[in-house]
Amino acid sequence: MDLNAIHNVYFVGIGGIGMSALARYFVANGKRVAGYDKTPSDITDSLKDLGVEVHFEDAVKHIPSVFLNSETTLVVYTPAIPTGHLELEYFKMKNFQILKRSKILGLITENTFCLAVAGTHGKTTTTSILGHLLNECDVPLTAFLGGICENYNSNLIINGTEVSVVEADEFDRSFLTLSPNFAGITSMDADHLDIYGDASELVKSFEDFSKRVKPNGKLFVRNGLPIQGITYGIEDDSDYSVQNLKIENGTYIFDVKTPSTVLEGLQFNLPGRHNLSNALIALAMAVEYGCSHQQLAKALASFKGVKRRFTYQIKTESFVFIDDYAHHPEEINAVHQAVREMYSDKKVLAIFQPHLFSRTRDFIDDFAKSLSQFDEVLLLDIYPARELPMEGVNSEWLLSKMTNKNKQLVSKEQLLQKIHESEAKIVLTIGAGDIGEEVKRIKKEFSVEN
């Protein structure tokens, strides 16, 4: 399929983080872009600012007439769209060219030097760091990010089209549409069991992904994963290894041993060892691509982070409010490790919104264990996303399994009051649902006081 011959691109689910990056890409390439999404958001607002028409009612009458020509319009959809969606059904009935988001990414990256990052956690941060490093080293790249990178206030970095940096998503095996030159795998913990059924199937799909790397390409894997490649790790014997690690004023300072040399005195400002690990694989991929060590050191120190990935909303001497997208037990453990490393002597209140009934059911004991580590926990109802309720799977069940004494189930309406009642000076919001909307309210309420 020739993307150059397409004039109009219509997105069903345009407000999604990966979809909106593609929409921005097509706008930057002079295409006419419009789309539907379920609810307005900061993302849809920013797309409207770019001149993209977005509507929020699923009805064919809202599709701008120029997009109703099947000869000149490409339709892109996300797997999160439910069956029976009226607009999508209309496009199918009228024989439009309809492609999944992952398929489009595959087409765009086919004729580029592609660097892809896969993993059940760490993809978005790693891809953002990698995109930033290469961009700062003036590589002609387009980077599609699964989050809003603070340095660019965008989920797209464009500095040319010869190189592409993409997040390779294991959800519904969509990363198997990519053929990267360089690929990285950050983690392979069980997740998306609603799709895979079994953890061994997930591991198999990562093995299949590793075989998608082009001949003479390179595969980077975290030390200890059961796949062969260039290894990376912290204070171990990996090919790329962080050594002499210390923390000064909340900044990591360290050396990196590479296969051929040692890079000394590097700085990285994101808290948490999981983030340091993400920085290391991004650095390894950029070094192997051929970037200068000096430029990389400067770029790494200037990386500001990704929205909703350990994002400081309020940071004063007396009160700290951090927001994070963690929605898997391992991610919650990583957030806990980071917050304890930075604030070892302070009380921490975690507010968690579980994401998906199936994920809550599949990892109920692990969720209970990871959440019980905090001094105090406020638990919201499960965010259903694409699922219907499951009998017996609810936040009460999760609460009953937690060993923490200071735990309670709360509604969104009670949230501000409950935070006021707490003595904790460190407040965390965690989850991948619509908890982001509560973040704005909490920030507004407590910014005035602090």
Side-chain angles (χ1 to χ4, degrees), residues 133-173:
L133 295 181
L134 296 177
N135 190 55
E136 289 292 293
C137 294
D138 224 21
V139 173
L141 91 158
T142 304
F144 297 91
L145 313 176
I148 304 294
C149 182
E150 301 274 11
N151 292 72
Y152 307 90
N153 196 27
S154 178
N155 50 354
L156 184 73
I157 307 171
I158 293 194
N159 185 30
T161 53
E162 287 170 40
V163 174
S164 58
V165 174
V166 297
E167 199 167 307
D169 194 358
E170 77 284 353
F171 173 73
D172 79 351
R173 297 180 172 84

Side-chain angles (χ1 to χ4, degrees), residues 156-377:
L156 184 73
I157 307 171
I158 293 194
N159 185 30
T161 53
E162 287 170 40
V163 174
S164 58
V165 174
V166 297
E167 199 167 307
D169 194 358
E170 77 284 353
F171 173 73
D172 79 351
R173 297 180 172 84
S174 63
F175 60 179
L176 300 180
T177 56
L178 298 168
S179 307
N181 300 76
F182 283 12
I185 300 176
T186 62
S187 49
M188 285 165 29
D189 295 303
D191 198 4
H192 303 303
L193 297 185
D194 53 327
I195 302 289
Y196 286 97
D198 187 73
S200 63
E201 281 299 306
L202 182 75
V203 171
K204 187 182 169 302
S205 78
F206 276 102
E207 287 167 354
D208 291 343
F209 171 70
S210 71
K211 292 173 189 145
R212 303 279 311 166
V213 177
K214 285 176 185 159
N216 305 320
K218 293 179 181 180
L219 179 67
F220 301 75
V221 292
R222 200 182 77 216
N223 199 0
L225 292 181
I227 289 179
Q228 293 295 306
I230 297 168
T231 56
Y232 70 97
I234 296 175
E235 294 173 327
D236 62 9
D237 59 352
S238 301
D239 300 318
Y240 281 82
S241 166
V242 164
Q243 306 285 350
N244 305 320
L245 175 61
K246 47 189 193 287
I247 298 173
E248 289 178 13
N249 301 326
T251 295
Y252 284 120
I253 296 171
F254 55 98
D255 302 336
V256 169
K257 176 187 77 65
T258 79
S260 58
T261 183
V262 176
L263 313 180
E264 293 181 341
L266 296 174
Q267 290 187 25
F268 187 63
N269 293 306
L270 264 56
R273 292 220 163 192
H274 60 300
N275 281 323
L276 188 60
S277 180
N278 295 334
L280 180 59
I281 181 175
L283 186 76
M285 290 172 85
V287 166
E288 295 285 334
Y289 180 77
C291 293
S292 102
H293 294 172
Q294 219 170 348
Q295 277 177 301
L296 284 175
K298 204 172 146 193
L300 197 61
S302 70
F303 182 72
K304 292 180 189 166
V306 179
K307 282 203 171 112
R308 300 221 58 225
R309 303 302 195 281
F310 211 90
T311 303
Y312 283 100
Q313 299 289 342
I314 301 173
K315 192 180 186 182
T316 66
E317 287 295 310
S318 58
F319 187 81
V320 174
F321 171 34
I322 296 161
D323 176 43
D324 196 278
Y325 183 73
H327 54 285
H328 182 285
E330 285 303 322
E331 293 166 350
I332 295 170
N333 288 336
V335 169
H336 177 263
Q337 184 274 323
V339 83
R340 290 287 183 219
E341 192 172 57
M342 294 296 153
Y343 305 102
S344 52
D345 56 344
K346 295 216 165 96
K347 234 183 186 173
V348 181
L349 163 68
I351 301 157
F352 179 57
Q353 181 190 44
H355 185 261
L356 295 180
F357 296 104
S358 60
R359 187 183 280 123
T360 306
R361 178 201 61 202
D362 293 340
F363 302 107
I364 187 82
D365 292 328
D366 294 333
F367 273 122
K369 199 173 163 190
S370 62
L371 289 165
S372 296
Q373 299 174 96
F374 297 101
D375 300 306
E376 201 176 329
V377 180

